[in-house]
Amino acid sequence: MNAVWVVLLATVLRLVFANFTGLGIDESYMVAASDHFAASYFDHPLVSWWLELGSRALFHSMAPIVVRLPFILLSAVSSWLIYRITARLYTRGAAFWAVVAYNISPVFSLAFGSWVLPDGPLDTALLAALYAMLRALGIAAVPTPPQPRWWLAAGFFAGLACLSKYNAALVLAGAGLAMLSDPLSRRELRRFAPWVAAVLAVAMFMPVIWWNATHGWQSFAFQGDRATGLRLHPLAPLTVWGGEALFLLPWLWLPMVCLQIGALRRGPAERRGWLLSLLGLLPVVLFSVFGIWSSTKILYHWATPGYLMLLPMLGSWAENFAPRLRNTVAALSAFLLAFAAMFIAAEATLNFIPGLNHFFPPGKSPLLQIVDWDTAAAGIPRQAQAVVALRWFDAGKIGYALRDRLPVTVFGADPHEFGIATPPASLLHKNILILAMPGNVSQIADEYAPDFMLLRPGPALTVMHGHDVLLVIPTLIGTDLRHVPGT
């Protein structure tokens, strides 16, 4: 029952946070760039896109709380799954502390638990697949006979994980390593059921492969390029691990890493720790290794599916850790997370610290992440039949503020999903408002003037937060787009 109260309180916190903060950059982009159900999308597979599209269709709204609601509900489901998994593998006390750890971790509780991102659905699907796999293999605190009928559920949820985000493959590869290296689990490969599960997961992923094949392999190429590069960063693993520790909370991250190393050292004789540690191994290790040579910045949340798999071990460890210190740290962490979330929500809604953005360079205020650009959208002149940005994230913010009133796309080499949802060619012969940033407005005008019958300065659009100006956006108005820029 204590775990139920933790989940309920965390869910209420997420609902308040989601309702009183604007969409972040990635969220705005996902909502603004998606206007239809598709077999896949440029950045990620379909699940997260379908969830926000479905919620919009159900409630006939694009309000932040509406598009975020499916992700908040899934975070509660993830908490329940963590409890069931940990209680099966260890004890109910361990399950309680695993749920607490999940709900006090900023990246799991707030980012993946309330934002429109593919990671929330990914986490839920991976946890469901893990629970089904434990039942299928008979792995528990007190070993039970294998239940082959659970393989079908494992394959289904593995397929959903792959339809949520590509890095699900790393966790699933860890599952394969665990089965091959554990003698008891390896026996199950003689059965027909595990192979049916694998075929089902692959079959569910086929729409994404088909979409990529019909779109020039754009999504696979985009994600694959992140692991390539020619720049050498020998200290990158330390930076990546440090960032992951901050996202998870250092006092959660360090025990998880130590527990994983210990489980790997003990080997497959201790089946619970061996399976969990191998499930988390590839995400935890590979992204830090990629950072050594990758020319793309490794984002710290990419490895979190691996740490998610370690939460049951963390719960078991926390159950037996110094009770007074453990309880104090947990309570303080929960308070700080709740305080930070409510502070951000209050500032986003009430602007009770006027002039806060003055402490940051022009256009760099973090408030731009939590304030929707509605005031800028209100300043778009009536003659504009479409809006164009020069960066995908600017297109996302202005596109969400417009709420589908005008088509939005990106001019340039990196339009992301906007290049598919609203190809620049679809705007031929329209009057277009260009967001003339970043860079010199005169140079931008010189670059795009040949593509229009007439290109002239437009009104400055202002992103306001209360009475404070967060960003002034220079614009250009192009009459009659005659050529697609760059062609």
Side-chain angles (χ1 to χ4, degrees):
M1 186 59 66
N2 289 335
V4 172
W5 282 110
V6 170
V7 176
L8 287 176
L9 289 172
T11 301
V12 170
L13 175 70
R14 294 181 188 112
L15 288 169
V16 174
F17 182 73
N19 188 58
F20 292 102
T21 56
L23 296 191
I25 288 177
D26 288 339
E27 294 181 282
S28 298
Y29 159 69
M30 285 193 64
V31 176
S34 60
D35 59 357
H36 67 288
F37 294 92
S40 192
Y41 299 85
F42 178 85
D43 306 74
H44 304 290
L46 57 89
V47 168
S48 53
W49 306 82
W50 283 25
L51 284 173
E52 61 90 6
L53 282 168
S55 190
R56 284 159 57 181
L58 179 63
F59 293 100
H60 304 287
S61 171
M62 294 174 67
I65 187 65
V66 169
V67 296
R68 286 168 167 167
L69 184 60
F71 302 85
I72 296 172
L73 297 178
L74 282 177
S75 67
V77 175
S78 291
S79 293
W80 175 75
L81 286 167
I82 290 169
Y83 186 91
R84 293 296 302 271
I85 290 166
T86 310
R88 177 180 175 83
L89 292 177
Y90 300 100
T91 65
R92 290 185 178 181
F96 169 78
W97 287 109
V99 170
V100 169
Y102 173 82
N103 283 283
I104 64 174
S105 170
V107 69
F108 288 128
S109 190
L110 285 187
F112 300 168
S114 60
W115 291 346
V116 183
L117 296 172
D119 305 87
L122 169 69
D123 289 350
T124 306
L126 286 174
L127 289 167
L130 171 58
Y131 180 75
M133 188 176 178
L134 293 174
R135 298 293 297 265
L137 292 173
I139 299 177
V142 178
T144 60
Q147 298 173 277
R149 67 179 183 274
W150 280 89
W151 279 115
L152 195 61
F156 174 76
F157 288 114
L160 279 183
C162 292
L163 290 176
S164 299
K165 198 171 183 180
Y166 293 125
N167 62 356
L170 298 177
V171 176
L172 298 177
L177 289 174
M179 289 197 66
L180 289 171
S181 57
D182 173 16
L184 293 178
S185 297
R186 193 162 56 240
R187 294 177 188 173
E188 297 303 306
L189 294 176
R190 301 171 187 171
R191 299 180 186 266
F192 193 57
W195 302 104
V196 173
V199 170
L200 175 61
V202 172
M204 291 177 64
F205 190 66
M206 288 305 295
V208 178
I209 296 177
W210 174 83
W211 184 93
N212 272 274
T214 56
H215 288 78
W217 307 103
Q218 291 183 50
S219 188
F220 289 165
F222 169 69
Q223 297 293 351
D225 283 347
R226 293 182 167 189
T228 62
L230 299 175
R231 299 176 61 185
L232 187 63
H233 309 277
L235 299 180
L238 299 178
T239 303
V240 172
W241 290 330
E244 292 168 358
L246 289 175
F247 272 48
L248 288 162
L249 289 181
W251 43 95
L252 300 181
W253 177 85
L254 184 59
M256 280 196 282
V257 171
C258 293
L259 290 166
Q260 183 179 35
I261 293 172
L264 291 172
R265 291 181 63 183
R266 289 191 298 273
E270 205 282 284
R271 299 182 72 198
R272 299 171 298 177
W274 182 249
L275 173 62
L276 295 173
S277 61
L278 283 183
L279 288 172
L281 181 64
L282 293 180
V284 169
V285 172
L286 284 186
F287 287 114
S288 59
V289 172
F290 288 158
I292 295 174
W293 64 78
S294 176
S295 56
T296 301
K297 181 181 178 181
I298 302 297
L299 299 182
Y300 303 135
H301 68 274
W302 290 351
T304 47
Y307 293 106
L308 181 73
M309 299 292 104
L310 305 178
L311 283 175
M313 286 195 291
L314 180 67
S316 178
W317 172 82
E319 182 186 21
N320 301 299
F321 188 69
R324 182 174 297 180
L325 178 60
R326 175 200 63 200
N327 296 347
T328 301
V329 170
L332 183 60
S333 299
F335 170 78
L336 290 175
L337 181 65
F339 177 81
M342 293 303 97
F343 177 87
I344 293 170
E347 175 60 22
T349 305
L350 304 175
N351 188 27
F352 66 90
I353 308 179
L356 180 62
N357 61 298
H358 296 157
F359 293 99
F360 304 94
K364 300 294 185 180
S365 172
L367 292 172
L368 288 169
Q369 274 272 12
I370 60 171
V371 172
D372 294 325
W373 291 11
D374 294 348
T375 54
I380 295 176
R382 292 184 178 181
Q383 65 263 41
Q385 297 172 295
V387 176
V388 165
L390 306 183
R391 301 181 295 193
W392 62 268
F393 42 89
D394 293 334
K397 292 296 283 187
I398 197 66
Y400 176 68
L402 283 165
R403 305 294 199 274
D404 289 338
R405 293 196 300 269
L406 290 174
V408 177
T409 195
V410 176
F411 283 172
D414 189 23
H416 280 47
E417 180 65 22
F418 284 107
I420 299 167
T422 310
S426 67
L427 304 183
L428 287 172
H429 307 298
K430 291 184 181 293
N431 299 331
I432 295 174
L433 183 81
I434 299 177
L435 306 188
M437 65 176 191
N440 183 280
V441 177
S442 297
Q443 291 179 351
I444 294 171
D446 291 341
E447 179 179 357
Y448 293 106
D451 299 312
F452 293 89
M453 184 180 72
L454 175 66
L455 187 66
R456 55 188 175 83
L461 306 181
T462 306
V463 180
M464 302 292 296
H465 182 225
H467 297 292
D468 293 339
V469 177
L470 296 184
L471 180 66
V472 177
I473 306 172
T475 69
L476 299 165
I477 296 179
T479 302
D480 188 8
L481 178 64
R482 295 185 170 184
H483 307 284
V484 176
T487 61

